[in-house]
Amino acid sequence: MKRLLTILLLMIPLASQSQEGFSTLPPQGLTAAWWNVENLFDTRDDPNTNDDEFTPTGDRHWTRRRLEAKLQGIYKTLVMMDLPDVVGLAEVENNYVLRELCQGTPLSQVPYRYVHYDSPDRRGIDCAFLYRTDRFTVTDSRKVNVSDSAEGFFTRDILVIEGVTSNGDSVCLLLNHWPSKRGGEEADMQRSRIADTLRHHMIALHAKHTGAAVIAMGDLNSTADEAAIFNGIGFGADSVSPDGIRNLTKRLPLDWGSHKYQGEWRYIDHVFLLADSTWKVLKLKLLKFDHLLVDEAPRPGQRPKRTYLGPRYEGGLSDHLPLLLKLARAK
């Protein structure tokens, strides 16, 4: 029955439903999604960033029609997630594409708002945050600069959100998109430095908000056992740091991953949690919806269906699969 409802939601815009088209009941806990939506650019050239290829006349021939198709696909995916309370996104260019997602698709019938700050990334892609105002109140937001200007190293900021659920529980989120491994040992050192910065901010937020759940989500461009994460956060063999930070991603099945590289699935998207024992993880799930995948011929199996495969327009949504976390706090 639930699958039938999901199919109907995809066929009928939310705008044509009644005001009861989404649940306004107080949730039990918090549902949080993370997704790298891969190059969510508008179609205009920003002279201050390297976004030229994502314009109608650029190498990708990125048109309004293709942008709208991507936004509709993201909206439908959020519906299939049952419209999470909060959503962290990576590779978002600006407020314009977030506004088009929240107001220019049937998602406008759900009370989503967004938080976004420009970062020093040379391509102009940043982390962003969506939240349902009936489920979550943002009390503060800011960006943490983790670039190294002295070394000419510029990357995405960490987006920090402080807020309260509709049940009155404090929740803090730190959204990350770490630099890739290009650059070898220097890039590894930078990712380890960023991991240490993240750890300090998680600890500070947990101390600031008594009883809060502090959640870090992101595309870290590293698997859990690589030094950037393992040493930078200080995880032990049990995936728990001396500070109590848990890597929840280690719970996910090893035969899949959030990203596929050279035929191998890997989890380079992660969820970390720092919270006391009153918070329970009800679910952490890798979402493998059919429309997000495509056969990987000539290799066996499937891979994420990308917007572009190399220079060719493939019409998919991302080279990453999303993660969905559900937490609840015992009262």
Side-chain angles (χ1 to χ4, degrees), residues 68-99:
E68 289 178 351
K70 182 152 183 159
L71 293 171
Q72 290 290 333
I74 294 171
Y75 139 67
K76 291 179 180 180
T77 306
L78 293 176
V79 171
M80 295 178 72
M81 295 181 189
D82 294 328
L83 301 170
D85 305 333
V86 299
V87 182
L89 300 172
E91 299 202 14
V92 173
E93 184 179 19
N94 51 32
N95 284 339
Y96 175 80
V97 292
L98 293 167
R99 186 168 61 250

Side-chain angles (χ1 to χ4, degrees), residues 13-22 109:
L14 289 175
S16 67
Q17 298 178 35
S18 69
Q19 292 300 310
E20 287 73 40
F22 59 89
Q109 296 302 299

Side-chain angles (χ1 to χ4, degrees), residues 34 90 127 157-158 174-178 194 198 216-220:
W34 167 260
C127 291
D157 298 327
I158 298 174
L174 301 96
L175 308 180
N176 299 259
H177 184 193
W178 293 2
I194 295 169
L198 173 64
M217 302 189 292
D219 170 8
L220 308 187

Side-chain angles (χ1 to χ4, degrees), residues 1-11:
M1 185 67 182
K2 185 175 181 181
R3 181 171 178 80
L4 176 59
L5 177 60
T6 298
I7 293 171
L8 290 174
L9 281 170
L10 295 179
M11 294 174 62

Side-chain angles (χ1 to χ4, degrees), residues 48 136 200-201 206 214 276 294 323 331:
N48 298 315
F136 189 81
H200 281 288
H201 280 273
H206 193 248
V214 180
D276 63 35
V294 67
L323 301 174
K331 297 294 186 180

Side-chain angles (χ1 to χ4, degrees), residues 86-160:
V86 299
V87 182
L89 300 172
E91 299 202 14
V92 173
E93 184 179 19
N94 51 32
N95 284 339
Y96 175 80
V97 292
L98 293 167
R99 186 168 61 250
E100 288 295 293
L101 174 63
C102 292
Q103 300 178 13
T105 72
L107 205 62
S108 62
Q109 296 302 299
V110 186
Y112 275 114
R113 299 293 182 269
Y114 55 84
V115 178
H116 167 265
Y117 296 96
D118 286 322
S119 74
D121 179 82
R122 296 189 187 279
R123 296 181 64 224
I125 52 174
D126 317 302
C127 291
F129 180 70
L130 305 181
Y131 64 102
R132 287 181 54 162
T133 58
D134 60 329
R135 299 284 183 87
F136 189 81
T137 300
V138 174
T139 58
D140 193 17
S141 68
R142 61 189 176 278
K143 60 180 183 177
V144 175
N145 188 309
V146 290
S147 295
D148 186 350
S149 57
E151 296 293 330
F153 179 85
F154 298 97
T155 190
R156 281 75 59 172
D157 298 327
I158 298 174
L159 176 57
V160 179

